[in-house]
Amino acid sequence: QVQLVESGGRSVQPGDSLRLSCVGSGPTFTQYAMGWFRQAPGKEREFVASISARGDVTLYEESVEGRFTISRDKAENTVYLQMTNLKREDTSVYYCNAVRTSGDEVWGLGTQVTVSS
């Protein structure tokens, strides 16, 4: 089964950029559509962005559209979330998610992003 490990989260200031990475292991990683979700303290986990298994279709939550970009590197089994113009409300734990049509779903353990001045 695919396993996911996120990295790249840290403390930044408003307006900064940051790139999160999610490395997947397992021979079937390329069969999974990938997504990023986030969860702020006291709030439910919410969708941020997703990319299809083939990498040709992306979706974004409205508040990050135009600021965040999701991409995947199949050769490296890695999915990225490039975040620009970060805002305080982007502060959350960011989770990587993998899902395929059979219903298999995998979550990473998350990486903390803190935006503050």
Side-chain angles (χ1 to χ4, degrees):
Q1 183 168 348
V2 167
Q3 293 183 321
L4 306 173
V5 179
E6 303 98 330
S7 64
R10 61 184 177 88
S11 294
V12 296
Q13 295 186 339
D16 283 354
S17 297
L18 195 61
R19 189 177 76 165
L20 305 182
S21 301
C22 172
V23 179
S25 62
T28 60
F29 178 74
T30 56
Q31 299 177 12
Y32 287 76
M34 302 297 298
W36 287 95
F37 289 71
R38 64 187 181 186
Q39 187 168 18
K43 295 188 177 181
E44 295 189 353
R45 191 172 297 187
E46 65 175 5
F47 169 79
V48 176
S50 66
I51 187 166
S52 61
R54 294 173 58 182
D56 56 345
V57 179
T58 57
L59 294 172
Y60 296 93
E61 192 272 328
E62 186 175 356
S63 71
V64 308
E65 183 106 45
R67 299 190 297 123
F68 292 8
T69 303
I70 188 170
S71 61
R72 68 188 300 164
D73 183 333
K74 291 187 177 182
E76 298 294 327
N77 272 11
T78 302
V79 175
Y80 300 100
L81 185 68
Q82 178 68 50
M83 305 185 292
T84 64
N85 190 22
L86 282 160
K87 304 177 180 181
R88 289 179 177 82
E89 51 264 40
D90 295 318
T91 295
S92 287
V93 177
Y94 284 73
Y95 296 91
C96 185
N97 170 269
V99 62
R100 59 179 177 177
T101 55
S102 64
D104 294 345
E105 186 173 24
V106 183
W107 290 92
L109 297 180
T111 185
Q112 175 71 48
V113 174
T114 303
V115 185
S116 68
S117 55

